[in-house]
Amino acid sequence: RKEVEQDPGPFNVPEGATVAFNCTYSNSASQSFFWYRQDCRKEPKLLMSVYSSGNEDGRFTAQLNRASQYISLLIRDSKLSDSATYLCVVRGPDNDMRFGAGTRLTVKP
Amino acid sequence: NAGVTQTPKFQVLKTGQSMTLQCAQDMNHNSMYWYRQDPGMGLRLIYYSASEGTTDKGEVPNGYNVSRLNKREFSLRLESAAPSQTSVYFCASSEKKVNQPQHFGDGTRLSIL
């Protein structure tokens, strides 16, 4: 079983739609959690950290459920520029950082 | 504002050749990482160094070696390159604290013929 698993996607949504991505992790001792965005053939870039109480950054909302070992990302009012691959990242107890395989989002006009 | 610098950006090797990928960061981060990314897949951790003087295996360490030369530099070596190691390699660094994210280099695109 992979340590970090994500919805396989792809997600194809119209502009203005709300879309949600899910991620599960296997190591209950994991320390911290992040969502990254990756554009084609580019390096991953931090979208947002995920805090225990949940957090919001504009149109983006991240949630963490430690009991279920589950992380989510909600994007409201999708824009064309949101088209990218979204990567779930988990910091393990040994400071290793593990990535999910990513979920590809395409927002269409 | 260099951040994380990887060299080279592109390389073509023949099977059996050796090569070292270089990575340097100027953010005074304790932790550094090497990943590979194959088409349509996420990043897989090859090796990491939680702090200067330590290195640990990740998910896919076979065929690679690493050296944490100092706090700034973390190199990845392919002793005998194989076509299966054709990939994009990313180096990253982070502060060794909970909730501190990683910062990535631009990647090295490596092809092995």
Side-chain angles (χ1 to χ4, degrees):
Chain A
R1 181 187 170 189
K2 284 181 64 77
E3 292 202 26
V4 181
E5 298 207 53
Q6 288 186 243
D7 284 344
F11 285 67
N12 298 302
V13 303
E15 272 187 292
T18 295
V19 60
F21 303 137
N22 301 318
C23 174
T24 57
Y25 60 96
S26 61
N27 190 336
S28 60
S30 296
Q31 298 184 45
S32 51
F33 312 90
F34 308 90
W35 283 101
Y36 276 71
R37 167 194 173 125
Q38 186 177 30
D39 295 291
C40 188
R41 299 180 68 80
K42 300 277 192 179
E43 76 277 17
K45 293 188 177 177
L46 179 68
L47 180 66
M48 59 196 302
S49 301
V50 187
Y51 300 120
S52 297
S53 55
N55 49 298
E56 188 173 304
D57 182 0
R59 299 180 292 108
F60 300 86
T61 301
Q63 297 279 353
L64 168 63
N65 183 324
R66 281 193 182 271
S68 300
Q69 295 179 204
Y70 170 93
I71 306 153
S72 66
L73 176 69
L74 184 75
I75 304 175
R76 290 183 299 278
D77 189 21
S78 300
K79 311 291 185 193
L80 295 176
S81 57
D82 293 334
S83 296
T85 296
Y86 290 83
L87 300 163
C88 173
V89 184
V90 175
R91 182 191 294 272
D94 297 324
N95 210 43
D96 51 314
M97 297 278 266
R98 306 288 175 126
F99 280 71
T103 302
R104 181 160 181 80
L105 172 67
T106 301
V107 181
K108 299 187 173 179
Chain B
N1 284 349
V4 179
T5 303
Q6 289 184 236
T7 55
K9 294 196 184 309
F10 302 93
Q11 184 71 47
V12 178
L13 293 177
K14 293 181 180 178
T15 297
Q17 286 186 310
S18 61
M19 163 141 205
T20 300
L21 308 186
Q22 307 286 354
C23 176
Q25 52 92 9
D26 62 3
M27 295 172 283
N28 203 35
H29 286 164
N30 286 306
S31 302
M32 297 185 73
Y33 308 80
W34 276 106
Y35 295 89
R36 62 176 287 175
Q37 186 173 32
D38 299 306
M41 296 181 68
L43 279 72
R44 290 185 291 170
L45 183 62
I46 304 172
Y47 271 94
Y48 66 104
S49 171
S51 58
E52 187 179 357
T54 69
T55 61
D56 287 284
K57 294 179 180 179
E59 303 167 78
V60 288
N62 291 344
Y64 304 94
N65 286 302
V66 290
S67 295
R68 184 74 184 266
L69 303 169
N70 48 54
K71 193 173 185 180
R72 288 189 65 247
E73 298 172 286
F74 189 39
S75 63
L76 178 72
R77 183 159 179 86
L78 288 70
E79 289 291 351
S80 179
S84 61
Q85 294 178 303
T86 293
S87 192
V88 179
Y89 290 84
F90 287 104
C91 177
S93 70
S94 75
E95 193 45 75
K96 191 182 176 184
K97 293 178 184 174
V98 174
N99 291 331
Q100 292 301 306
Q102 290 173 310
H103 300 261
F104 281 84
D106 292 342
T108 295
R109 284 156 180 78
L110 182 62
S111 292
I112 298 154
L113 307 177

